[in-house]
Amino acid sequence: MSDFIRNSVAIGSKALDYLENEDSEIYGYLCDEFNRQRSTLQLIASENFASPAVLAMTGSVLTNKYAEGYPQKRYYGGNQFIDEIEDIARERAKVLFSTDHVNVQPHSGSSANLAVYQALLNPGDTVLAMRLDQGGHLTHGAAASVTGKMYNFQQYGLTPRSTDGGERIDFDYLRDLAKTSKPKLIVAGATAYPREIDPTVFRAIADEVGALLMFDSAHPMGLIAAGVHVSPVGIADVVTFTTHKTLRGPRGGAILCKHEFAKKIDSAVFPGLQGGPLEHVVAAKAIAFKEASTENFVRYGRQIKENSSILGETLIKEGFRLVSNGTDNHLVLVDLRDFDADLDGKIAQESLDSVGITCNRNQIPDDPRKPLVTSGLRLGTAAMTTSGMKGSQMSQVGSLIARTLRNRNDENELKLIKDEVNDLCSKFDPYPEGEMWPGMANFEA
Ligand code: DSN
């Protein structure tokens, strides 16, 4: 590894020299994973390539510091610089998203969601959210999640495939459900929904029944920052998000809210749910917010959507059906059944993995197969876009996916595809040695 890369993946290349000699097992797997990320295609819709600056900050000495509390109100000494960093992170997020208040401490999107429930609900309260197999998230009240055990979640989903403009959020059902169940909170947002979610329709329904509105924008937050997805900020009472998906920062969560909920949200995060915040991650979030406030990032956001649309069109031409028949965000959800009735999500994911195309199997609405098998694949373009790929590469990737799945039992063909994937990745290295990071370089005006 060059010094440039070594300094990006962990602070100080001497530390990596030490690891190479003294803890070669972990060092070896770090190198393996680094090479895997560079030599295979990353299509997991919730992943991205963070900038070298973000990587360096998450590997910095800030990890050493305990800072329970909030800036100027800490429980331990020595936080004068940490306070500055967290204040900068909060200020940058406030400006980027035009919000009244922000909490940058949640360790993850799940923690952020739990904190909102803790702030706004009592155990047993009724909440409406999207069902997991319709595109929702575990923390949207799935039976296996503590959220489903602790609160009375009732679930809405999508209109059937057969209806005109099918597989869109079923707002008529949601409105009826809201009227009969009188929820305290309605949750908007999804992890596997390929369409833009309009917060104003949710707001209108919430207002009709006197409910609060939370928007979980974990997936589209980078698109929102880039101004290419409608913003729920100021419409929803509370917005949760993750910083590592389309937003391309460090792994973590955050919460935006109106003034009136600020105190409750902050108390729910600390001391309600978490102890010491991860200030190395908070600093990296500040860096990511700055990166996301540039014109360069606006161009990046536009390209993610264009790439997703071209990938979707290619897959349709290859004989796949897409849930909702297309996309207007960073992901496509592929229904494999029309392409090949015998092909399930597990086999598809494993076949693609074998040629270096990394994605995840995913349930499609009303999936007849179990969650560990599924009939679908979820593919996202945020990471490939960071590495500099554009429309022609998206067409190539779509065709490679179809070729792999058609020839999944043909070892020779799979070998040829793997070579082609490798060749493509070598031209779009997310961390090229000694060159400017493509996440910046490819989106310069
Ligand atoms: N695991 C995330 C995703 O893939 O969407 C959600 O938590």
Side-chain angles (χ1 to χ4, degrees):
M1 277 192 220
S2 71
D3 279 353
F4 172 79
I5 297 299
R6 295 171 74 93
N7 283 319
S8 302
V9 296
I11 196 159
S13 54
K14 283 211 164 62
L16 286 171
D17 287 341
Y18 166 84
L19 267 184
E20 187 171 7
N21 293 321
E22 303 298 327
D23 198 345
S24 55
E25 277 175 288
I26 290 294
Y27 179 81
Y29 288 125
L30 170 66
C31 294
D32 289 346
E33 173 58 16
F34 181 51
N35 289 330
R36 186 196 68 78
Q37 290 185 18
R38 299 167 80 192
S39 60
T40 57
L41 285 167
Q42 310 309 320
L43 275 73
I44 291 180
S46 46
E47 293 182 356
N48 210 329
F49 297 116
S51 71
V54 165
L55 295 181
M57 192 53 66
T58 53
S60 74
V61 295
L62 297 180
T63 196
N64 297 336
K65 192 70 196 95
Y66 254 121
E68 280 106 328
Y70 291 99
Q72 293 85 48
K73 279 182 238 123
R74 305 285 187 186
Y75 286 79
Y76 295 176
N79 275 305
Q80 60 272 40
F81 306 118
I82 296 291
D83 279 2
E84 298 290 338
I85 287 169
E86 191 167 332
D87 268 338
I88 291 171
R90 297 200 294 191
E91 206 43 47
R92 286 182 184 171
K94 274 169 79 173
V95 173
L96 179 60
F97 297 113
S98 305
T99 184
D100 290 350
H101 181 75
V102 58
N103 188 307
V104 290
Q105 292 191 1
H107 300 334
S108 66
S110 294
S111 302
N113 289 352
L114 290 175
V116 173
Y117 301 153
Q118 173 153 323
L120 305 182
L121 303 172
N122 292 311
D125 277 348
T126 299
V127 189
L128 307 191
M130 198 189 267
R131 225 170 71 197
L132 188 59
D133 75 313
Q134 304 275 301
H137 187 250
L138 280 168
T139 58
H140 295 180
S145 155
V146 67
T147 59
K149 300 183 204 305
M150 202 156 162
Y151 305 104
N152 174 32
F153 268 87
Q154 311 231 351
Q155 316 252 255
Y156 59 86
L158 308 186
T159 52
R161 171 182 171 177
S162 54
T163 51
D164 216 19
E167 291 166 314
R168 305 300 171 102
I169 293 171
D170 190 342
F171 284 115
D172 291 339
Y173 182 86
L174 172 61
R175 182 175 285 105
D176 288 346
L177 183 62
K179 282 183 179 155
T180 52
S181 62
K182 298 265 179 286
K184 192 158 178 188
L185 177 72
I186 298 179
V187 177
T191 61
Y193 183 63
R195 296 292 178 177
E196 186 161 303
I197 298 178
D198 184 352
T200 58
V201 187
F202 277 97
R203 179 77 264 171
I205 295 173
D207 287 346
E208 276 178 49
V209 299
L212 294 169
L213 177 62
M214 166 181 139
F215 198 110
D216 179 343
S217 56
H219 269 261
M221 207 51 168
L223 302 179
I224 291 167
V228 296
H229 184 295
V230 61
S231 173
V233 181
I235 299 170
D237 298 293
V238 183
V239 175
T240 59
F241 63 103
T242 55
T243 44
H244 52 277
K245 296 187 174 86
T246 51
L247 195 54
R248 208 169 62 184
R251 186 156 290 257
I255 304 171
L256 312 178
C257 66
K258 297 180 175 172
H259 269 309
E260 58 187 297
F261 302 107
K263 210 165 171 318
K264 275 186 174 172
I265 291 288
D266 284 353
S267 307
V269 173
F270 172 85
L273 201 64
Q274 296 184 172
L278 310 177
E279 292 293 346
H280 55 306
V281 179
V282 168
K285 286 172 184 170
I287 293 171
F289 296 145
K290 186 167 184 181
E291 289 176 357
S293 62
T294 57
E295 276 303 308
N296 180 315
F297 198 86
V298 172
R299 285 186 279 277
Y300 168 64
R302 279 195 208 116
Q303 190 69 50
I304 292 179
K305 280 181 59 168
E306 194 179 318
N307 282 354
S308 182
S309 154
I310 294 171
L311 178 64
E313 283 162 17
T314 310
L315 291 167
I316 289 171
K317 277 191 211 131
E318 292 283 358
F320 293 95
R321 192 188 80 81
L322 303 187
V323 169
S324 86
N325 300 319
T327 171
D328 42 38
N329 60 19
H330 62 299
L331 68 87
V332 295
L333 189 56
V334 182
D335 177 349
L336 296 163
R337 293 171 303 175
D338 288 12
F339 179 78
D340 181 340
D342 295 330
L343 178 62
D344 63 43
K346 184 168 186 295
I347 294 171
Q349 180 194 307
E350 286 167 1
S351 304
L352 291 166
D353 233 349
S354 77
V355 297
I357 300 177
T358 314
C359 64
N360 68 280
R361 60 184 177 274
N362 211 100
Q363 285 202 295
I364 53 168
D366 304 312
D367 201 319
R369 295 187 171 106
K370 296 205 164 74
L372 272 174
V373 181
T374 82
S375 302
L377 285 178
R378 188 185 64 160
L379 310 170
T381 55
M384 288 189 295
T385 307
T386 296
S387 66
M389 295 190 197
K390 295 207 163 73
S392 63
Q393 288 79 40
M394 292 305 108
S395 306
Q396 188 182 352
V397 170
S399 302
L400 284 167
I401 289 171
R403 230 172 101 199
T404 304
L405 298 180
R406 269 192 207 103
N407 297 286
R408 60 187 182 274
N409 298 316
D410 180 341
E411 286 303 321
N412 290 334
E413 185 65 11
L414 292 178
K415 167 88 182 58
L416 293 175
I417 296 170
K418 191 173 184 174
D419 289 346
E420 201 176 312
V421 167
N422 230 281
D423 185 54
L424 178 62
C425 291
S426 70
K427 294 184 187 129
F428 293 90
D429 187 345
Y431 299 109
E433 305 212 7
E435 281 173 38
M436 195 176 165
W437 183 57
M440 294 292 176
N442 289 315
F443 299 96
E444 303 263 277

